[in-house]
């Protein structure tokens, strides 16, 4: 059975191995230079604005391969479900060859066990190795990535660590199960893609933020979390809050709001929030100019009690969240595997 399974899927396995070998070669050839550039850049800058400028230049120089490698890891589990999982049993059912095998000395349970075990382990290992390889290569970029591309960002998180291994195992088991239920290859592939995509979207939106209770805290306003202060022609003073959290770089920000002294929300991140402060006299007067005046105005706003209220998952929770999420996908995989064995013994003929 192992030999037969290999004969059936050696084409897909060979192509996958070739693509992974190409990816590994590219990562190995460029990884050392990437790390050296990052180390040299950090050594030549001082912590503060200089390093911030270096981070921007460094990430922009490698942004294209960063996005390409992340995309490869993101789509690989879906391809496993589509081209490895869905046709695994459906192809046999469409051709009727499963009846021939079941009339030999091989039971249908053992037949499914070998097919799932051999093909599933190879496919899952391929996705896991690619995820870990890209995680190693992108380490310097993950430390310098801007908002939206940070390590805890939902899309980047899904392409790092051990999570791709769990995704691939789930996608493979999902494809096999859907194929057994639908019994047609193309509909099974379409349904597998739809269900897998729905689960992948629901996980970061509905589940991952609550796997560990998020932190909610308030922070004083500073140049780290305020993008700009403005005064309109009517003399209305406003502040533009960002999603950055002072002292917690790299966190996954679930919400960031500008609140008044009573805790009432004034504006969310990216919106201009109106602050009732005098623009005719005092630190925020129209006559003020230069960075010192801006700093003095920021101090005045904080004195009045205006704060940033943020809910976030700190960077330190990256690996705990990775393990928990991978465990959830492992349980889903086991459930689908059990359903496949139950269906092939009780329902499939």
């Amino acid at each position: 059975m192992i030999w037969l399974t290999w004969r059936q899927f050696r084409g897909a396995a060979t192509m996958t191995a070739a693509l992974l070998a190409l990816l590994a070669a590219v990562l190995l050839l460029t990884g050392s230079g990437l790390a050296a550039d990052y180390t040299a850049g950090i050594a030549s800058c001082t912590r503060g604005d200089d390093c911030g400028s270096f981070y921007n230049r460094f990430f922009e120089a490698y942004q294209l391969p960063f996005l390409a490698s992340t995309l490869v890891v993101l789509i690989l589990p879906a391809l496993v479900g589509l081209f490895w999982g869905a046709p695994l049993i459906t192809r046999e059912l469409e051709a009727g060859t499963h009846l021939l095998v079941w009339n030999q000395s091989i039971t249908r349970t053992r037949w499914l066990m070998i097919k799932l075990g051999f093909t599933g382990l190879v496919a899952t290992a391929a996705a896991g190795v690619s995820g870990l390889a890209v995680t190693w290569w992108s380490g310097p970029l993950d430390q310098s990535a801007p908002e939206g591309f940070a390590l805890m960002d939902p899309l980047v998180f899904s392409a790092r660590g051990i999570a791709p291994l769990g995704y691939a195992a789930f996608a493979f088991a999902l494809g096999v199960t859907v194929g057994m239920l639908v019994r047609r290859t193309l509909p099974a592939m379409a349904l597998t893609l739809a269900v897998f995509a729905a689960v992948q979207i629901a996980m970061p939106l509905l589940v991952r933020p609550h796997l560990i209770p998020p932190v909610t805290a308030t922070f004083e306003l500073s140049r780290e979390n305020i993008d700009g202060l403005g005064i309109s022609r009517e003399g209305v003073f406003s502040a533009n809050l960002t999603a950055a959290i002072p002292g917690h770089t790299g966190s996954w920000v679930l919400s960031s709001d500008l609140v008044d002294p009573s805790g009432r929300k004034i504006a969310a991140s990216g919106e201009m929030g109106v602050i009732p402060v005098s623009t005719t006299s005092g630190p925020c007067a129209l006559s003020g100019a230069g960075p010192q005046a801006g700093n003095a105005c920021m101090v005045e706003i904080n004195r009045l009690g205006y704060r940033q209220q943020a809910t976030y998952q700190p960077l330190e929770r990256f690996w705990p969240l990775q393990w928990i999420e991978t465990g959830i996908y492992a349980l889903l995989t086991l459930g689908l595997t059990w359903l496949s064995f139950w269906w092939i013994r009780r329902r499939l003929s």
Side-chain angles (χ1 to χ4, degrees):
M1 276 300 300
I2 294 177
W3 176 85
L4 177 61
T5 303
W6 165 249
R7 292 277 297 182
Q8 289 177 321
F9 289 93
R10 61 182 177 181
T14 302
M15 181 176 296
T16 303
L19 292 175
L20 288 178
L22 178 61
L23 176 65
V26 172
L27 296 180
L28 287 174
L29 291 175
T30 59
S32 57
L34 177 68
D37 291 345
Y38 179 79
T39 302
I42 290 295
S44 62
C45 76
T46 57
R47 292 293 176 180
D49 293 338
D50 290 341
C51 275
S53 300
F54 162 71
Y55 287 151
N56 292 333
R57 295 194 307 270
F58 180 72
F59 186 81
E60 287 177 1
Y62 290 95
Q63 185 171 358
L64 185 59
F66 173 87
L67 295 176
S69 61
T70 300
L71 181 62
V72 168
V73 180
L74 286 175
I75 66 174
L76 189 56
L79 295 179
V80 166
L82 282 177
F83 298 106
W84 289 61
L88 185 72
I89 307 301
T90 311
R91 186 181 302 164
E92 302 272 7
L93 297 177
E94 285 183 324
T97 54
H98 66 293
L99 297 175
L100 175 63
V101 176
W102 293 349
N103 287 322
Q104 307 302 316
S105 59
I106 301 296
T107 64
R108 63 180 65 189
T109 301
R110 185 182 176 189
W111 177 73
L112 180 61
M113 184 184 303
I114 295 176
K115 280 185 168 291
L116 282 178
F118 182 81
T119 311
L121 286 176
V122 172
T124 302
V129 169
S130 67
L132 291 174
V134 171
T135 300
W136 165 79
W137 178 85
S138 63
L141 290 168
D142 289 334
Q143 297 181 49
S144 59
E147 181 183 343
F149 299 98
L151 187 61
M152 289 289 284
D153 183 79
L155 287 179
V156 178
F157 180 94
S158 299
R160 299 290 185 268
I162 60 173
L165 188 149
Y167 303 154
F170 168 71
F172 178 78
L174 177 65
V176 172
T177 305
V178 170
M180 294 176 65
L181 298 175
V182 176
R183 305 184 68 157
R184 293 291 183 272
T185 300
L186 290 180
M189 294 174 70
L191 187 56
T192 297
L193 180 60
V195 174
F196 181 73
V199 173
Q200 290 296 87
I201 293 173
M203 177 60 72
L205 291 179
L206 304 176
V207 180
R208 188 184 301 160
H210 310 289
L211 293 178
I212 301 176
V215 178
T216 300
T218 57
F219 303 90
E220 289 192 347
L221 303 180
S222 65
R223 295 191 179 276
E224 291 185 69
N225 54 9
I226 290 292
D227 189 36
L229 303 174
I231 302 175
S232 68
R233 293 181 179 179
E234 293 77 17
V236 177
F237 185 86
S238 59
N240 185 18
L241 183 70
T242 69
I245 299 179
H248 296 277
T249 304
S251 297
W252 178 23
V253 181
L254 304 176
S255 66
S256 176
D257 301 316
L258 180 63
V259 297
D260 63 13
S262 65
R264 182 176 62 89
K265 175 182 173 181
I266 298 177
S269 61
E271 299 175 352
M272 295 297 289
V274 176
I275 299 176
V277 63
S278 175
T279 58
T280 58
S281 62
C284 297
L286 283 170
S287 58
Q292 294 302 324
N295 292 336
C297 184
M298 197 82 70
V299 171
E300 175 67 10
I301 295 173
N302 284 312
R303 187 191 68 79
L304 293 174
Y306 292 88
R307 296 289 186 270
Q308 175 195 28
Q309 186 176 72
T311 301
Y312 62 98
Q313 292 285 3
L315 180 61
E316 294 76 18
R317 293 182 177 179
F318 173 79
W319 281 110
L321 287 172
Q322 282 270 323
W323 283 105
I324 294 173
E325 187 166 320
T326 304
I328 291 174
Y329 276 90
L331 291 176
L332 292 174
T333 301
L334 290 176
L336 290 171
T337 302
W338 174 86
L339 178 59
S340 297
F341 278 101
W342 181 86
W343 193 266
I344 201 173
R345 290 197 304 265
R346 304 291 179 87
R347 299 287 183 178
L348 199 61
S349 62

